[in-house]
């Protein structure tokens, strides 16, 4: 039993890793693939790329609660294996897609079948005990970190074998893992613990009503939303911008994104705790937001490719603000509703992944096309910097008011511990 459980945990880790790696694998080749299929330039391809990113994120947002509820009805094993099979077949479909329209359909299917993340995490919850729950859930963070590093680096390296090679690699990984799961993955949800599928419980926008329940956190939630919206200037447009501005190839794009993964991992893995102890939550929020702003402004005006690597340092250091802001938000909410808060914040992040690329990539194309009144490739980074500054101002106004009016919230806001103190 212990051996089976260990093998199952290993399988789930690989599943989560592939889930995260999947998009990273194809980011380096996406600009030139779109340009090739549409017969257009890289900068124009960015607009079409935004539609692919948005539709993938949108369908994943819509179907994640559906897939999760299906796993509550039929069990985790069939849902995870079916999702992996569908994911693998879809990557093959995208690898062979002869037109942009079929590639678009492929991203829709990928969004649906790639929504297995909630089921994989539910599997971990099913088989974990009080003694190993924290350790097992730590695999989620490890999978995210490794996926964000390995995916783009591998995608860039595989591009040397052809622009569609990363799609074939992603398909192979999914199908092999599905085959592996057929032999090692036992069911984790006993039949007596299953429930009927209910559409009302699979509502993807339901988590947003949490903010209506706690209107006092509305300002900070909007500040949180703006941070992730601003980040889409990097996440959605990086490969298009660097290929257009510095003539980078797929391998260089992959290397740069792997560096981002390493820096983000270093900041999240160690520096956030140090910053919280030294600065406290409130100052960590302000410092992080200003570092984000500085990094985005520097990206906007960079005139040599190597500078993008240098400017990643202040930008990634800005990551100290996220956990601190989440800690402050958590301090406003009772302990028995923390999961609901995190679900609502995750929904906000998903929303930015849908609308952010549409804004940032199309803005980049407008200011780089031949008829533009002002040629400025870095405009999306500058807009991101503006969003970060607005987020800083909102956070400052809200936190300053709360410190004056509520002594208990002042303790939460100024805390030097990322774990929230007793909520008010």
């Amino acid at each position: 039993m212990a051996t089976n459980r260990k093998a199952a945990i290993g399988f789930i880790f690989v599943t989560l890793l592939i889930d995260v790696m999947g998009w990273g694998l194809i980011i380096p080749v996406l600009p030139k693939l779109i340009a090739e299929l549409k017969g257009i330039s890289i900068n124009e391809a960015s607009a079409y790329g935004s539609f692919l990113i948005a539709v993938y994120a949108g369908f994943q947002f819509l179907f994640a609660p559906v897939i999760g509820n299906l796993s509550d009805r039929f069990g985790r094993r069939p849902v995870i294996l079916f999702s992996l099979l569908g994911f693998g077949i879809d990557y093959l479909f995208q690898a062979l897609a002869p037109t942009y329209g079929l590639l678009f359909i492929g991203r829709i299917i990928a969004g649906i079948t790639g929504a297995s993340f909630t089921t994989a995490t539910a599997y971990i919850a099913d088989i974990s005990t009080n003694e190993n729950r924290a350790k097992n859930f730590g695999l989620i963070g490890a999978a995210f970190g490794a996926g964000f590093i390995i995916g783009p680096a591998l995608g860039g390296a595989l591009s040397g074998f052809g622009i569609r090679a990363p799609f074939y690699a992603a398909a192979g990984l999914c199908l092999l893992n599905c085959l592996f799961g057929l032999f090692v993955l036992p069911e984790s949800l006993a039949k007596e613990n299953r429930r009927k599928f209910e559409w009302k419980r699979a509502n993807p926008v339901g988590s947003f009503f949490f903010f209506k329940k706690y209107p006092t956190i509305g300002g900070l939630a909007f500040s949180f939303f703006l941070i992730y919206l601003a980040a889409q200037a990097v996440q959605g447009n990086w490969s298009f911008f660097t290929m257009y501005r510095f003539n980078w190839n797929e391998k260089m794009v992959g290397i740069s994104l792997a560096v981002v993964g390493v820096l983000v991992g270093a900041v999240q893995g160690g520096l956030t705790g140090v910053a919280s102890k030294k600065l406290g939550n409130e100052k960590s929020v302000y410092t992080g937001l200003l570092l984000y702003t500085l990094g985005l402004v520097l990206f906007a005006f960079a005139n040599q490719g190597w500078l993008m690597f240098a400017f990643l340092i202040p930008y990634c250091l800005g990551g100290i603000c996220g956990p601190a802001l989440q800690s402050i938000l958590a301090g406003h909410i009772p302990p028995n509703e923390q999961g609901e808060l995190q679900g609502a914040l995750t929904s906000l992040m998903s929303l930015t992944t849908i609308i952010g690329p549409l804004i940032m990539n199309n803005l980049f194309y407008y200011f780089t096309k031949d008829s533009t009144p002002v040629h400025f490739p870095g405009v999306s980074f500058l807009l991101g910097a503006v969003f970060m500054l607005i987020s800083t101002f909102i956070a400052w106004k809200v936190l300053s008011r709360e410190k004056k009016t509520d002594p208990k919230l002042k303790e939460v806001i100024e805390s030097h511990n990322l774990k929230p103190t007793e909520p008010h």
Side-chain angles (χ1 to χ4, degrees), residues 17 43 46 68 127-128 141 182 188 215 217 240 253 282 287 293 300 327 331 340 381 390 399 410:
L17 182 64
N43 57 321
S46 68
I127 66 173
S128 296
L182 281 173
S188 66
I217 67 170
F240 296 97
V253 170
E282 183 183 13
T287 303
T293 303
S327 180
E340 198 172 350
F381 297 124
I390 295 173
L399 296 179
K410 181 179 180 181

Side-chain angles (χ1 to χ4, degrees), residues 53 227-237 349 352-353 356-357 360-361:
I53 298 170
I227 293 170
Y228 284 88
L229 183 62
Q232 289 304 317
V234 176
Q235 295 175 18
N237 201 42
M349 291 163 59
T352 66
T353 311
M360 301 302 183
N361 290 33

Side-chain angles (χ1 to χ4, degrees), residues 192-209:
E192 60 269 22
N193 292 330
R194 299 179 191 181
R195 61 174 177 81
K196 290 183 179 181
F197 179 87
E198 299 176 62
W199 280 108
K200 65 179 181 180
R201 299 182 72 168
N203 179 11
V205 299
S207 59
F208 289 121
F209 291 108

